[in-house]
Amino acid sequence: MFFTSSNRTITGAKVTRRRALSALLALPALGLLTACGGAATAGSPQASLAAPAPLATSVPAGTTIKVGDPSIRVALELSGLTKELDGVNVEFANISGGPQTTEAFRAKALDVGSVADIPPIHATWTGLNVRIIASAYRQDAVDHPLYELGVAPGSGINSLADLRGKKVAYSPGQAQGALVLRILAKAGLKQEDVKLVELPSTGDTYATALSSKQVDAAPLGGVQIKRYLAKYKNDGAATLRHGLRDDPSLLYSPAEALADPAKAAALAKYVAVWGKAQRWIEDHPKEWLEGYYIKDQGLSREDGQYLIEAAGKRDLPTSWAEGIARHQQTIDLLSREQKKPQLKAADLYDTRYEAIAGTAFAAAAKGGTA
């Protein structure tokens, strides 16, 4: 995901804040809250959301949603957008990343989480019924990748084709794992043409594995790219651009939460403000650098500026058609390579929410943010 300071996963066990917040600005998106969209069951056995009720245009008093979206919590505070969540009790949990978010869903400790495109797929394969309710991408995704392929000193890897016979770090349930499979496919290689070394993609695990030559190649994300090269380039370390899109950033929720009319309406409000927050982050890089990367995340000014420049411009569509098509390609690849059941990507999306974030993002560019 492109708002974290690195590719590490932030874990936390409990809600850190609760606040009742003030009135949502009128947006064209709110008219979409009553649009009903199908979201057929994506796997079995699961509860069906084939005919979800239309989203209510108001949130019942006292409704609480538990949110695993740490960076957006900061964006709402810095921008003043907290006042646009009137009537919703928002409990922010310091939880992000697929494994921790899915675990929190199972424990009924979270109503929405921020992840890449792989966690909803794997959650479905493990029998957890989830739906995507918002999506964001990068406008120039190939030239602004989330990840680059880190190369160990002395590995002899100068191109993707050189991965043949090499040890490659692999995390099958995360975005980095899917990216590795896509990189191999682009290079005309199969899994058996390399040695996949299963390692969790947390913290600096991959950078350490590269520098110690435990692996020859590994996807590095965020500031880990910059730090790895700064530390080991003189020893022969390098990174390669993979030339693929790796940019999806999604909000997803348990189907059980979305079947609750009060929570579903509250989540719609959150998605609208989430869309505005994306615009505020893009339009206020200095404030975001100071308030999030430096003060909240503890990064150096140089590292924070690197991440801002690496992210480029955001793209929040009002139609999910293209994103769903790309998601289906990823599902097809994982299904084939990991021997998993086939899924229909469209069934992972609750289309009642389709245009909300994108409409809010566009409206904010016209002066709709605080």
Side-chain angles (χ1 to χ4, degrees):
M1 303 177 281
F2 48 81
F3 302 124
T4 53
S5 61
S6 71
N7 66 337
R8 67 188 175 92
T9 299
I10 305 171
T11 61
K14 194 58 182 158
V15 167
T16 58
R17 326 186 165 209
R18 171 182 292 192
R19 51 187 54 147
L21 310 162
S22 162
L24 182 65
L25 295 179
L27 287 173
L30 294 182
L32 294 159
L33 299 186
T34 56
C36 180
T41 303
S44 62
Q46 293 182 344
S48 176
L49 267 182
L55 291 167
T57 56
S58 62
V59 181
T63 301
T64 296
I65 54 173
K66 299 174 182 179
V67 179
D69 202 355
S71 64
I72 295 302
R73 174 187 62 77
V74 179
L76 296 181
E77 292 176 349
L78 293 173
S79 65
L81 285 167
T82 52
K83 68 180 182 292
E84 299 204 16
L85 283 167
D86 181 43
V88 182
N89 298 323
V90 180
E91 296 182 356
F92 277 102
N94 194 27
I95 295 173
S96 66
Q100 288 73 29
T101 300
T102 298
E103 182 181 350
F105 284 168
R106 292 189 188 283
K108 302 185 187 303
L110 208 62
D111 296 309
V112 62
S114 177
V115 293
D117 59 341
I118 306 306
I121 301 171
H122 277 270
T124 302
W125 277 332
T126 61
L128 185 63
N129 201 4
V130 297
R131 295 292 184 275
I132 294 159
I133 61 173
S135 62
Y137 306 93
R138 295 182 172 186
Q139 287 185 18
D140 189 1
V142 173
D143 286 336
H144 292 85
L146 280 166
Y147 303 101
E148 294 184 18
L149 191 66
V151 175
S155 65
I157 298 173
N158 298 302
S159 69
L160 299 184
D162 293 333
L163 290 170
R164 184 181 296 274
K166 304 298 184 179
K167 295 177 291 184
V168 183
Y170 180 60
S171 51
Q174 296 180 282
Q176 294 92 326
L179 179 61
V180 165
L181 295 180
R182 295 174 65 214
I183 288 172
L184 294 179
K186 181 178 180 179
L189 301 173
K190 299 179 180 179
Q191 289 191 53
E192 52 266 32
D193 294 325
V194 301
K195 181 179 180 181
L196 295 179
V197 180
E198 289 200 20
L199 291 171
S201 57
T202 54
D204 60 356
T205 300
Y206 280 4
T208 300
L210 287 166
S211 63
S212 64
K213 301 185 181 180
Q214 182 181 356
V215 296
D216 299 304
L220 299 177
V223 77
Q224 290 293 337
I225 300 169
K226 176 178 178 288
R227 291 175 177 173
Y228 177 66
L229 291 175
K231 195 169 183 179
Y232 300 109
K233 187 174 182 179
N234 289 341
D235 297 328
T239 62
L240 297 176
R241 289 286 182 95
H242 49 69
L244 298 165
R245 294 196 68 148
D246 63 2
D247 60 325
S249 178
L250 309 174
L251 293 181
Y252 76 136
S253 295
E256 183 177 359
L258 296 171
D260 180 324
K263 283 187 181 290
L267 287 167
K269 272 199 171 186
Y270 181 78
V271 167
V273 178
W274 182 85
K276 285 190 171 187
Q278 309 296 342
R279 174 64 72 177
W280 185 90
I281 292 169
E282 182 170 299
D283 290 346
H284 298 80
K286 291 182 180 179
E287 292 92 334
W288 188 237
L289 172 64
E290 294 288 343
Y292 180 63
Y293 286 124
I294 296 176
K295 184 176 179 180
D296 186 80
Q297 294 292 294
L299 295 182
S300 68
R301 186 173 303 277
E302 292 74 17
D303 284 351
Q305 188 61 41
Y306 168 84
L307 290 170
I308 288 172
E309 293 173 1
K313 298 293 185 181
R314 289 162 173 75
D315 174 27
L316 273 68
T318 55
S319 169
W320 286 340
E322 291 185 11
I324 289 174
R326 292 194 297 268
H327 212 169
Q328 186 66 59
Q329 293 173 352
T330 299
I331 290 171
D332 294 343
L333 174 66
L334 295 180
S335 179
R336 181 175 68 250
E337 295 296 325
Q338 297 181 350
K339 306 297 187 290
K340 298 290 188 180
Q342 183 58 256
L343 301 175
K344 186 177 178 182
D347 290 345
L348 298 179
Y349 290 75
D350 187 334
T351 55
R352 296 177 298 173
Y353 295 82
E354 183 170 16
I356 295 174
T359 301
F361 181 77
K366 301 171 184 177
T369 50

